[in-house]
Amino acid sequence: MYLAYSDKGGPYDGGKGRLYRYTTATGTWTDISPVAEADTYYGFSGLTLDRQRPGTVMATAYSSWWPDTQIFRSTDSGGTWTKAWDYTSYPNRENRYTMDVSSSPWLTWGATPAPPEQSPKLGWMTESLEIDPFDSNRMMYGTGATVYGTENLTAWDSGGTFAIRPMVQGLEETAVNDLASPPAGAPLLSALGDVGGFRHTDLTKVPSMMFTSPNFTTTTSLDFAGTNPNTVVRTGNLDSGPHVAFSTDNGANWFAGTDPSGVSGGGTVAAAADGSRFVWSPAGTGVHHTTGFGTSWSASSGIPAGALVESDRVDAKTFYGFKSGRFYVSSDGGATFAASPATGLPSGDSVRFQALPGTKGDIWLAGGASDGAYGLWHSTDGGTSFTKLSGVEQADTIGFGKAAPGASYQTLYTSAKIAGVRGIFRSTDQGVSWTRINDDAHQWGWTGAAITGDPRVYGRVYVSTNGRGVVYGDTSDPSGGDDGGGGTDPAPTGACAVTYTVTNQWSGGFQADVKLANTGTSAWSGWSLNWAFTGGQKVSQLWNAEYTQSGASVTVKNTGWNGTVAAGSSVGFGFTGTWSGANAKPAAFTLGEQTCVVN
């Protein structure tokens, strides 16, 4: 038995640590630490064993932040160790590995550090590292930014280098603080914890770099000008330097503003409808306003420090605020605020609110707590009064997207509890009725920080999670009708291509990923993929789609959230299964009556 020890709980701290081996036959503990205790400034974690090679042990210096984390490996049960990197002559170092982050280029942080630091870093907060129990060459480990891994690990032992790369695609560990979907430019802007945030120009690809100039460790709020979406503002946390930044090209490039005195964190920020001025409620000081791009700020009056701030999306001089049950309105560009007479709003600060694009004074407010007022409110008079929606029991956030075909009012999206059910909901009739657009298998934990529809694509919604990144989905019924099941099977037309990959295999079992690409010229509004196994395989569990199997024949259909596949885009699902003969890949796939190309 092996034990990794740290003198602190982690994942950030840990100043000393040891590794021990326990011999059950004699009851003896042996210190097998790779380095002397006096030379550690970190704790040990990431303990793993190679099930195929008894005696091979690995561990990490999980709390080593500078200049890098360290990975240790022993092939003699901890008798001797080697390191993933070591110094040749300080500050120069030699690595036993190579790193390729081309699939997620932002992992360099755009940095060019001086030795002994390198970019990209091997990692930090490396609490978990695992060798594949069925493949000695395959190893993965977690960091504060992504999951890295290798598939030629044993090259380490022969004096070669092993290749490290991100082992994720479309799955991030980020916590989402804010989202914005402008009517022009990038379809999505995100404010994220730890990695700042991104301008997402292609929803199917990893952005090349996070927001820079400055690089906030965490972006707390962002906004674009309602009638001038090229103007964008963001605020965030930074150990030293400004906490506010501006863009005049839809978030492609940024420049820093200046902070009012006393600012200690990002808080919330709002851009005027035309981008001519901004209101900022930072941490550490009160609400401030500015004209231009934040070269100087003036204190706002009539609104308490820590208030949430938003802007009217039509009137460039109207801003709104909320704090501790009171709603505030400014009609002079944020210079002065007045408390609204509205009553019955949530008494705490677990509230998000938004003004509807294109209509002055149309405001939706979500939030509250189970021991008080909780739900969704609507104002059509600029916040003077609010009406609570009777059908919404609880709501945490509110957003807007393109109106449904035939509807004149924008689509509403919320993370809420309606009719006793928690979920993500959509309304195309101003909140009179709601359709749940996720299901019990897709809930993603906390989704109350932010939500927004897409103003250009009806039925597209972007959902924030607290640790699962941004989740987005498209409606399976772009006509704006019922999203429920029933009817005939989907029958998309046009060319298709399938990539079927066995990602893991063991005696009697396996795991596979399937990628279905729309290689035609028109979008699919639903899909149904068919194939036949030839080796006695049987699906045990399948995710991101629905399936049936009869004998060797398998049919996989879209769920309610991934039926729309644009031309040139793809959809994926995975499954685990059993096999008894030879686990051969299916030779042919059909989509409706269409035979797909097999990659």
Side-chain angles (χ1 to χ4, degrees):
M1 183 176 74
Y2 296 86
L3 174 68
Y5 169 78
S6 173
D7 62 353
K8 299 287 182 64
Y12 307 101
D13 53 7
K16 295 292 181 182
R18 310 305 294 150
L19 287 176
Y20 293 96
R21 182 183 68 231
Y22 180 69
T23 305
T24 56
T26 62
T28 303
W29 286 97
T30 303
D31 187 340
I32 60 167
S33 303
V35 295
E37 183 174 0
D39 294 332
T40 62
Y41 53 92
Y42 45 77
F44 291 103
S45 189
L47 184 64
T48 188
L49 307 176
D50 187 342
R51 279 11 182 228
Q52 304 296 320
R53 299 186 177 196
T56 296
V57 188
M58 296 182 71
T60 68
Y62 83 92
S63 53
S64 175
W65 290 75
W66 191 93
D68 214 334
T69 196
Q70 183 62 273
I71 301 176
F72 305 94
R73 182 175 171 90
S74 172
T75 56
D76 56 7
S77 303
T80 59
W81 295 86
T82 52
K83 302 176 181 178
W85 63 270
D86 214 336
Y87 291 112
T88 51
S89 59
Y90 186 87
N92 300 312
R93 51 188 264 195
E94 182 178 19
N95 300 332
R96 292 180 181 268
Y97 62 88
T98 60
M99 291 194 80
D100 178 6
V101 297
S102 57
S103 64
S104 302
W106 60 268
L107 286 166
T108 66
W109 258 255
T112 54
E117 284 193 278
Q118 295 181 350
S119 182
K121 293 172 74 75
L122 182 60
W124 63 93
M125 294 167 55
T126 49
E127 283 195 298
S128 181
L129 181 148
E130 296 291 341
I131 300 172
D132 189 327
F134 306 103
D135 185 350
S136 297
N137 270 309
R138 197 164 190 259
M139 175 269 287
M140 291 191 289
Y141 65 97
T143 75
T146 191
V147 176
Y148 281 120
T150 183
E151 293 181 331
N152 69 324
L153 178 61
T154 58
W156 182 322
D157 304 325
S158 59
T161 58
F162 60 99
I164 295 176
R165 61 178 176 84
M167 303 291 276
V168 298
Q169 183 176 2
L171 176 64
E172 306 298 341
E173 297 179 309
T174 51
V176 184
N177 293 324
D178 204 358
L179 296 170
S181 183
L188 183 68
L189 306 172
S190 62
L192 308 179
D194 293 335
V195 297
F198 296 95
R199 181 176 188 258
H200 303 265
T201 57
D202 186 334
L203 301 178
T204 66
K205 296 179 180 178
V206 177
S208 61
M209 191 56 59
M210 69 277 287
F211 298 139
T212 60
S213 303
N215 290 58
F216 296 145
T217 52
T218 289
T219 298
T220 57
S221 178
L222 58 80
D223 194 18
F224 62 88
T227 61
N228 180 18
N230 279 333
T231 298
V232 188
V233 60
R234 60 184 168 98
T235 57
N237 301 333
L238 195 61
D239 291 338
S240 61
H243 296 79
V244 61
F246 301 90
S247 172
T248 58
D249 58 6
N250 194 243
N253 297 280
W254 295 86
F255 56 93
T258 57
D259 288 1
S261 177
V263 173
S264 60
T268 59
V269 69
D274 62 359
S276 62
R277 62 191 72 227
F278 303 87
V279 172
W280 183 16
S281 179
T285 189
V287 177
H288 283 68
H289 66 283
T290 186
T291 55
F293 293 109
T295 55
S296 64
W297 295 85
S298 300
S300 302
S301 63
I303 186 170
L308 301 175
V309 293
E310 297 286 353
S311 65
D312 192 89
R313 310 311 279 174
V314 175
D315 187 336
K317 288 192 175 183
T318 298
F319 290 84
Y320 306 109
F322 181 90
K323 176 70 174 176
S324 303
R326 299 299 301 272
F327 196 80
Y328 298 86
V329 181
S330 171
S331 58
D332 58 5
T336 61
F337 282 81
S340 161
T343 59
L345 298 176
S347 58
D349 293 324
S350 295
V351 166
R352 278 85 178 168
F353 71 93
Q354 298 283 341
L356 187 77
T359 304
K360 180 180 177 180
D362 193 323
I363 303 160
W364 292 80
L365 184 147
S370 56
D371 59 352
Y374 201 175
L376 182 63
W377 287 260
H378 185 207
S379 173
T380 59
D381 55 12
T384 301
S385 63
F386 283 86
T387 300
K388 189 176 189 296
L389 274 68
S390 59
V392 180
E393 298 156 50
Q394 301 174 357
D396 296 306
T397 188
I398 184 70
F400 314 108
K402 185 177 180 179
S408 58
Y409 199 86
Q410 294 180 46
T411 303
L412 305 178
Y413 296 93
T414 183
S415 174
K417 181 180 180 181
I418 299 174
V421 177
R422 262 283 172 183
I424 307 299
F425 292 87
R426 180 184 67 216
S427 174
T428 59
D429 55 10
Q430 300 188 55
V432 174
S433 61
W434 296 88
T435 298
R436 189 185 183 199
I437 55 176
N438 70 324
D439 56 28
D440 289 346
H442 302 89
Q443 299 191 72
W444 312 296
W446 169 244
T447 55
I451 194 170
T452 184
D454 192 307
R456 290 171 272 185
V457 181
Y458 165 68
R460 178 169 292 171
V461 61
Y462 306 97
V463 180
S464 68
T465 75
N466 186 25
R468 297 282 301 274
V470 181
V471 175
Y472 88 94
D474 288 310
T475 179
S476 60
D477 183 7
S479 68
D482 178 34
D483 285 316
T488 59
D489 290 344
T493 58
C496 53
V498 172
T499 304
Y500 180 102
T501 305
V502 175
T503 58
N504 204 352
Q505 182 171 302
W506 55 95
S507 178
F510 72 105
Q511 179 174 324
D513 287 341
V514 180
K515 178 181 177 182
L516 171 62
N518 180 353
T519 57
T521 58
S522 59
W524 302 337
S525 60
W527 50 269
S528 179
L529 184 67
N530 303 278
W531 73 84
F533 284 125
T534 59
Q537 299 101 322
K538 184 174 178 60
V539 176
S540 302
Q541 183 179 18
L542 187 143
W543 50 93
N544 291 341
E546 300 174 356
Y547 82 98
T548 58
Q549 182 170 359
S550 177
S553 299
V554 179
T555 298
V556 179
K557 301 179 183 180
N558 63 277
T559 64
W561 55 271
N562 65 358
T564 300
V565 184
S569 296
S570 61
V571 65
F573 58 89
F575 66 91
T576 56
T578 59
W579 59 284
S580 56
N583 190 22
K585 296 181 180 180
F589 296 83
T590 59
L591 191 71
E593 301 299 321
Q594 178 73 39
T595 299
C596 299
V597 173
V598 180
N599 294 325

